[in-house]
Amino acid sequence: MELTEEERRSIEWDCTRLVSLYATLNDEGRWAEVAALYAEDGVMTRPTAPDVPIEGRAAVLASFEGRPPRVTRHICSNIVIDVEDADHASGASVMLLFTAFGPPLVGNFDDRFVRTGEGWRFAERRGSLTFAPS
């Protein structure tokens, strides 16, 4: 079934909001809410560890809870969402991370989104660094 322009834009908006909400909740240390943005079987790879997938919502939550406290600010930009069908989309974004512990990091996220009973969620969030720290 072909999507209307309004349906396509709605999906694009929902997925864009998910990317922004991820950064906001991450900066606020609201780990359970960050993990809830993933599908139950969602997969995350951090930009600083792109070859180490973290599989499942519970494991994503544990990975965030296991990190030492820190103050961060994530800036998201260049978010482009491609709607595949009524229940699947993919996207890419650029992330700039500021911390008190070192120089800013610039990276990318390649995302796959899925519509669930809870709404749109990350099926996969794959991070990578564009400029590696020296």
Side-chain angles (χ1 to χ4, degrees), residues 18-42:
L18 201 61
V19 170
S20 297
L21 186 58
Y22 181 93
T24 299
L25 295 173
N26 193 333
D27 288 340
E28 293 175 357
R30 295 162 59 183
W31 307 134
E33 292 171 79
V34 171
L37 299 178
Y38 284 86
E40 281 293 335
D41 60 350

Side-chain angles (χ1 to χ4, degrees), residues 18-134:
L18 201 61
V19 170
S20 297
L21 186 58
Y22 181 93
T24 299
L25 295 173
N26 193 333
D27 288 340
E28 293 175 357
R30 295 162 59 183
W31 307 134
E33 292 171 79
V34 171
L37 299 178
Y38 284 86
E40 281 293 335
D41 60 350
V43 177
M44 174 183 81
T45 58
R46 297 180 191 279
T48 54
D51 297 324
V52 183
I54 301 165
E55 299 183 24
R57 187 183 285 173
V60 169
L61 176 58
S63 75
F64 278 106
E65 290 178 335
R67 291 182 2 181
R70 64 183 187 161
V71 176
T72 62
R73 287 298 171 262
H74 292 80
I75 310 298
C76 311
S77 69
N78 302 4
I79 302 169
V80 177
I81 305 298
D82 294 312
V83 177
E84 297 166 9
D85 59 38
D87 296 317
H88 301 90
S90 59
S93 60
V94 174
M95 192 74 68
L96 177 60
L97 171 62
F98 293 94
T99 69
F101 304 112
L105 297 176
V106 178
N108 299 303
F109 279 101
D110 292 310
D111 297 315
R112 288 187 312 107
F113 304 94
V114 63
R115 188 190 313 256
T116 71
E118 301 167 291
W120 285 94
R121 295 293 183 261
F122 292 108
E124 182 176 17
R125 181 142 241 245
R126 185 168 297 282
S128 61
L129 288 178
T130 306
F131 304 111
S134 45

